[in-house]
Amino acid sequence: KNDLASFHTEMGDCQTCHVTGKMKDIKKSMTDSQTHENAQCQDCHGSYADLVNDKLEFDPHASHLGDINCTSCHTGHAKPELTCNNCHNFEMEMPFADAKEKKKWDGDWNQDKIQKAIDKGPVETVDVIVVGGGSAGFNAAISAKMAGANVVLFEKAPYTGGNSMLAAGGINAVGTPQQKAKGIEDSVDWYAEDAMKGGRYKNDPKLVQILAEESAGAVAWLESLGANMDDLKRSGGARVERTHRPSGGASVGPHIIDTLRVAAKERDIPVRVNSRIEKIVLNDDKSVAGVVVHGRHSGYNMVAADSVVLATGGYGMNKQMVAYYRPTMKDMTSSNNVTATGDGVLLAKEIGASMTDIDWVQAHPTIGKDSRILISETVRGVGAIMVNTDGQRFISELTTRDRASDAILKQKDQYAWLVFDEQLVEKKKMVRGYEHLGMLSKANTIEELAKITGMKDLPKTAADYNKYQASGKDEAFGREDMPINLTKAPFYAVKVAPGIHHTMGGVAVDTDANVLNLQSWKMDGLFAAGEVTGGLHGHNRLGGNAIAETVVFGRKAGENAAKHALEK
Ligand code: FAD
Ligand code: MEZ
């Protein structure tokens, strides 16, 4: 056969990749994470870093995926997959792969096999099971382990990271040393008020208060695990700079996820990829008994635990769920990872969990037009202006996402341009990534940029904006923060339009991350954190509050899940 496995067996037998060369023993010897097989790749080829260091201007693994298993893309017997092309359309070549083929992300959910696994009984027992390897899941697993529990984390994808590893802008926190060093005055009350106002006062104020109070602790915790959060900027809807990110303005998500992967490894937490949870199993008294996991190689098995933490993320890539809960957004593009399929909502609903604000979905105003690539809010936060196809501003660039999205959809052709200059590019290296992807129009003067993009009024708009920036008063739209002007060539523009970004609604939880049932009682042993939950963000989330949520409530879910299991 013309595949990677056949190519390798020509050099030796099946043992080139597997633990054994005997067909009958291969399946038994192979873990779902394919740990041995991945080590074999590196034994011969060297690590990914060895392979690409200094050879690529932009390293796609570093920008999103980090240190992932080789077999995430380079599968032996099945068709290899260009994970990148779930979002991009690279013409890149990969041996034996078809760059245009997309993998299906819906699982089997085979009810017969699930029932058989339950009837067979657990193959393994632990204290805490964490479902999902994004920021919430890793934070929960590490916290549960540190609280003394025996933990395992299951991740359905071949790699961990979920939406978290795509996070670009940063994590919000109040009262950090970074804010103090910059002389920024802020308070827990301001943070909470901004989140409530942004959420149109539909948020659960108790959850918001905890987020605000524990946000500085979340940043300190990430730093204690090895993260760097030294850069600060302002996000839409926030009254001061409180969005923290790695120094130099690198994207926050890959950095956090890499930090958490290492922290989990150092603490010997088993992280099993290619392992999708398809059922939460309850005891007769309705307490949690464990889960049924569908492993890529091991098939369907039950794993027992007294505590389960759902950290499965949102449903922004599940077209059916969007069409059902938010029909007006069903045809929109999405910034989300393919992993955001809403499994946690389905798993929890099936066993009687209640939902909060499940129909509230956020459109991010600036997704690259006709693409799935988010142009981070940072670009506006750091100084870009937003204009329509004639080159006229139409709203304060720092308004909340719902208002910015609505305003763009009212413009001609329902898209806008972000315009900025070289000063911004020097400050935020993520912009080089957009250039590398061919998303930017570039010119040496504003007049030339206006000409190539057709934005006839851009020169006047830029001149007016520069005047407002110099005087500190935006006379047109009251923009509160104008860190830079538009004066340093070259000048850039990128076309943007709104797309699905965040699902605010989800599983109902209390302040201890317990999942609630339809009578608002705690479901014994079931916890949830992160984008799978609802209530914290009300009807509109502010930029930077989701990563804060995954850390604050991920930790809480892990600690409480451990406590529950160890006390049982
Ligand atoms: P995720 O990170 O999505 O992780 C969930 C994991 O669970 C996934 O890996 C998934 O594969 C796994 N999973 C799902 N179902 C199962 C199952 N049945 N069995 C096993 N595993 C399962 N927020 C900010 O605050 N700041 C930002 O700068 C920011 N930028 C963003 C940029 C982009 C492009 C996107 C899409 C979002 C951004 N957000 C940002 C939002 C934020 O990233 C997410 O809300 C947050 O990371 C969600 O974290 P999570 O751990 O809850 O879920
Ligand atoms: O919180 C977010 O979703 C965020 C800051 C996104 C971004 O535009 O960078």
Side-chain angles (χ1 to χ4, degrees), residues 105 109 131-137 154-157 159-172 252 257 275-278 311-314 335-337 339-341 343-344 347 374 376 401 501-502 529-532 541-550:
W105 276 86
W109 303 85
V131 190
S135 173
F154 290 108
E155 165 57 54
K156 72 177 177 188
Y159 49 84
T160 53
N163 267 1
S164 303
M165 72 178 176
L166 302 184
I171 166 172
N172 288 348
V252 74
I257 286 296
S275 301
R276 183 176 194 143
I277 303 307
E278 296 194 5
T312 47
S335 66
N336 283 201
N337 197 326
T339 54
T341 49
D343 293 16
L347 289 166
L374 180 82
S376 174
R401 291 173 181 176
H501 183 62
H502 192 85
E531 199 173 336
V532 67
R541 174 175 70 78
L542 292 190
N545 275 356
I547 292 295
E549 168 185 29
T550 61

Side-chain angles (χ1 to χ4, degrees), residues 345 348-355 507-508 515-518 523 526:
V345 166
K349 258 183 99 170
E350 190 190 39
I351 55 165
S354 171
M355 300 291 139
V507 175
V515 174
L516 304 176
N517 69 12
L518 291 170
M523 296 183 73
L526 187 59

Side-chain angles (χ1 to χ4, degrees), residues 126-176:
V126 294
D127 297 321
V128 176
I129 289 169
V130 175
V131 190
S135 173
F138 270 114
N139 279 296
I142 294 166
S143 304
K145 180 80 186 206
M146 285 167 83
N150 178 12
V151 188
V152 58
L153 184 153
F154 290 108
E155 165 57 54
K156 72 177 177 188
Y159 49 84
T160 53
N163 267 1
S164 303
M165 72 178 176
L166 302 184
I171 166 172
N172 288 348
V174 49
T176 59

Side-chain angles (χ1 to χ4, degrees), residues 172-181 215-217 219-220 229 232 242 244:
N172 288 348
V174 49
T176 59
Q178 289 86 333
Q179 277 191 323
K180 281 180 198 133
S215 59
V219 168
M229 289 292 135
L232 255 188
R242 63 168 78 102
H244 297 64

